[in-house]
Amino acid sequence: MKTEDKKAAVAAYKERKISAGIYALRCAPTGEVWVGAAPDLGTIQNRLWFQLRLNGSPYRELQAAWNRHGADSITFEVLEPLDEETAGYALGAALKARARHWTETLNARLI
């Protein structure tokens, strides 16, 4: 890759729109659901899948479902992107509150 191409790629990455919000992971064979909050919904699935593939997820029940049923049985779903206008200091509290709401609504486990 040329230097100019690398610089353009880095600039595009830095300028991308970041969306915080709530996501769910669903295991089709068992019906289990896990809910989590992320400051960047665009990158959280890649991080989770990386951990699961390496058998290094901190979420034991999710890892067990992944190992037992395989990668194709787990799906990722964005439940609720948060307003871009949510201030930085309020973002953490908003993510926690919405994650609790979705955990109760879906009878899920919080991750």
Side-chain angles (χ1 to χ4, degrees):
M1 185 180 257
K2 295 181 182 179
T3 304
E4 295 121 15
D5 294 339
K6 287 181 185 178
K7 287 181 181 179
V10 168
Y13 178 79
K14 288 180 179 179
E15 292 175 10
R16 71 186 170 85
K17 193 176 198 179
I18 296 175
S19 176
I22 310 303
Y23 63 90
L25 300 170
R26 297 177 189 270
C27 180
T30 64
E32 293 174 287
V33 180
W34 295 269
V35 170
D40 186 356
L41 288 172
T43 61
I44 189 66
Q45 182 181 2
N46 188 45
R47 184 178 84 196
L48 292 167
W49 264 228
F50 180 78
Q51 291 173 335
L52 290 164
R53 279 193 307 271
L54 294 178
N55 201 32
S57 175
Y59 313 111
R60 292 178 186 242
E61 294 164 343
L62 176 58
Q63 185 72 60
W66 177 279
N67 293 343
R68 191 173 329 117
H69 302 292
D72 294 336
S73 67
I74 308 289
T75 58
F76 178 87
E77 168 187 1
V78 173
L79 295 174
E80 179 182 359
L82 294 184
D83 254 348
E84 294 174 19
E85 297 168 4
T86 304
Y89 63 88
L91 182 61
L95 285 171
K96 285 180 184 178
R98 297 311 298 157
R100 280 193 305 270
H101 164 78
W102 281 105
T103 301
E104 293 170 5
T105 301
L106 299 175
N107 193 26
R109 294 182 181 100
L110 183 62
I111 59 172

